[in-house]
Amino acid sequence: MKKALFLSVLALSSLAAAEIRVGVIVSATGPAASLGIPEKNTVALLPQTIAGQPVVYTVLDDASDTTAAVTNARKLIQEGKVDLIIGTTTTPASLAMIDVVAEAKVPMISLAASEGIIKPVDAKRAWVFKTPQTDALMAAAIVQHMVQNKVRTIGYIGFNDAYGEGWASELKKNAAARGLKVVAEERYGRSDTSVTGQILKLVAARPDAILIGASGVPAVLPQKALKDRGYAGKIYQTHGVANADFLRVGGRDVEGAILPAGPVLVADQLPGTNPTRKVGLAYMNLYEAKYGKDTVSTFGAHMWDAGLLMQKAVPAALKKAKPGTPAFREALRDALEGTRNVIGAHGIFNLSATDHLGLDARSRVMVQVVDGTWKLLPSR
C-alpha cells in the first residue's frame, strides 16, 4: 500500500515538473527581418509558466529562407522534442513547414498571412493554426475602401512568391465581385533592387489605384518608383508593411500609403468601446518598456496573440496528458481548435474544426501614413 502510494506521488511529481517545450522559428535576418525581429523580441514577453508548468522556448532564425525554415522545424521536433512550434514569419516558409509538422503530429501556429496556410483544413492542416489576418480578410477591406473612394481600375505589383500570388488572387476575386477591374499586374523578387520596368508598365495602364502585394522593407521599392514616375493615383499596401522600419526606410516616399492593419497598430487611437484596445495597449506598453518608444509593430503582436492562444489551450491539454508525449501534442491541437473568445491584440479569436484562425472583420482597421506615422481612418 505504501509502495503504491509512493509511486502515485512520484508520478504526480513527475507530471508537475514536466516542461512544455515550445519551438519558435522567425525570420530575424534576411529580407523579412523587419517582420521577424519584433516577433523574436516578443518571445521574451511570453509566460515562463502556464498552469504551474515551466515553459521553455527555443528560438531559431530561418534567415528568411524556406529551406532553413524546414530544417529548423525538423531540428526542433527531432532534437528539441517540442510540443508546439510557433512560426515562421513568411508565407512560403510556413507553407513548406506544413508537411513536417503534420508528419510528426506537432501543432504549429504560423505567423504568416496567407489563407492557404490553414485552408482547407485537411489531414495535414489539421495540425496548423495561425494568428495573422488572412490575405482574403484584408483584401476585402482594401477593395471596400477602393469602392468607397470611387476607384474603378486597379494595378497590382507583388512578390513573385506565394505571398504575392495569394494577394493577386484575392485582389482579383474581390475586385470582380465589386465591379472593379485589374488592368495590369507585375511581380518582383524580395531581394530586387529595381522595379523600373514593372512600374513603367503599370503607370502606362493608368489605373486609378495600385496595390503593392509585398511585406516589410522590400515593399518600399515599388512605392518609391511610383512616386519617382509621378504616379498620382492612390497607393495601397498590405498589412505586411505595418512596422516602424517601413516608415523609417520609406520616409517621404511612403507618405499617403493606405493599408488594412490589425487594430494594435493604432491601439491608442481606437475608441474606448473597441474590445481589443485594452489588450493592444497592454502589449504596446510591455514591448516599448523593454525595447523603446515607437518600436511596437503588428508583427510582434502576432507572436503575442499566439502566446494568448497557447495560454488558453495548454491547461486543457494538461488535463489529458503529460508534456513531451504524443498524447499531449494531440490534446494541445484539440484544445487550440476548440479555443473560443480569446481577446487578442489583433482581434477576438474563435477557432473551430473548419477555421484555424478564427478572426472576423473586427480584426482589421484602415490606416494611412500621414506625417511619417500611422493614422486611423474613419470607418464607413
Side-chain angles (χ1 to χ4, degrees):
M1 179 70 177
K2 289 182 178 180
K3 184 177 180 180
L5 181 60
F6 172 76
L7 290 173
S8 296
V9 172
L10 185 63
L12 289 172
S13 299
S14 175
L15 181 60
E19 291 180 342
I20 300 167
R21 298 184 180 184
V22 179
V24 178
I25 306 172
V26 294
S27 301
T29 57
S34 64
L35 288 62
I37 290 172
E39 293 168 354
K40 179 182 178 181
N41 288 346
T42 300
V43 177
L45 307 177
L46 298 183
Q48 301 301 303
T49 61
I50 299 178
Q53 308 296 311
V55 183
V56 178
Y57 302 93
T58 301
V59 183
L60 299 179
D61 175 20
D62 65 20
S64 306
D65 180 77
T66 296
T67 301
V70 171
T71 300
N72 286 346
R74 293 192 187 281
K75 181 176 181 179
L76 288 170
I77 291 169
Q78 295 170 4
E79 299 177 20
K81 309 297 182 186
V82 297
D83 295 303
L84 171 69
I85 288 179
I86 301 178
T88 185
T89 305
T90 66
T91 288
S94 289
L95 289 168
M97 288 165 56
I98 292 174
D99 284 347
V100 179
V101 299
E103 180 183 3
K105 297 188 181 335
V106 174
M108 168 178 125
I109 303 176
S110 172
L111 303 173
S114 175
E115 187 172 62
I117 295 168
I118 55 167
K119 288 188 177 181
V121 184
D122 52 22
K124 292 182 178 179
R125 287 175 177 81
W127 293 90
V128 182
F129 304 84
K130 67 192 291 295
T131 53
Q133 300 88 339
T134 63
D135 42 15
L137 185 65
M138 294 310 216
I142 288 176
V143 171
Q144 179 179 339
H145 188 272
M146 288 177 172
V147 170
Q148 291 170 344
N149 287 273
K150 303 188 185 308
V151 169
R152 293 292 177 264
T153 57
I154 310 166
Y156 175 80
I157 179 169
F159 285 154
N160 59 355
D161 61 22
Y163 186 87
E165 294 305 323
W167 266 98
S169 175
E170 293 299 335
L171 171 65
K172 286 184 278 191
K173 181 170 65 177
N174 281 275
R178 302 296 295 270
L180 278 61
K181 185 177 181 181
V182 178
V183 295
E185 57 179 295
E186 297 291 332
R187 302 291 187 274
Y188 74 108
R190 290 176 185 254
S191 300
D192 286 356
T193 57
S194 173
V195 290
T196 301
Q198 297 96 313
I199 295 304
L200 286 173
K201 293 176 184 177
L202 284 178
V203 173
R206 303 179 65 182
D208 297 329
I210 291 175
L211 170 62
I212 299 172
S215 62
V217 171
V220 172
L221 183 64
Q223 184 154 355
K224 182 180 188 307
L226 285 166
K227 291 290 183 73
D228 289 345
R229 293 293 165 180
Y231 178 71
K234 294 185 182 299
I235 300 176
Y236 290 82
Q237 293 273 0
T238 75
H239 58 314
V241 305
N243 63 24
D245 281 347
F246 174 78
L247 298 177
R248 176 182 58 79
V249 173
R252 295 174 61 87
D253 291 321
V254 298
E255 275 288 312
I258 303 168
L259 59 137
V264 65
L265 186 67
V266 287
D268 55 347
Q269 299 176 46
L270 297 173
T273 54
N274 188 292
T276 66
R277 175 184 166 90
K278 183 177 180 180
V279 178
L281 286 174
Y283 169 70
M284 180 185 295
N285 292 335
L286 277 173
Y287 191 94
E288 293 189 347
K290 187 171 181 66
Y291 299 108
K293 183 174 174 55
D294 296 327
T295 55
V296 75
S297 78
T298 60
F299 304 102
H302 293 316
M303 178 70 76
W304 182 254
D305 285 347
L308 294 177
L309 294 181
M310 179 175 64
Q311 291 174 70
K312 179 76 170 182
V314 163
L318 286 170
K319 294 177 181 178
K320 297 183 177 180
K322 176 182 175 180
T325 65
F328 178 76
R329 292 165 195 145
E330 183 174 358
L332 184 58
R333 191 219 73 85
D334 293 346
L336 284 168
E337 189 173 83
T339 298
R340 303 285 189 277
N341 297 316
V342 171
I343 301 176
H346 278 281
I348 301 173
F349 292 86
N350 286 287
L351 286 76
S352 71
T354 57
D355 185 355
H356 280 193
L357 170 63
L359 290 176
D360 56 26
R362 293 173 294 179
S363 67
R364 67 190 188 196
V365 294
M366 294 300 294
V367 303
Q368 186 169 25
V369 179
V370 178
D371 295 329
T373 191
W374 310 108
K375 179 182 179 182
L376 176 66
L377 295 176
S379 57
R380 288 196 274 171

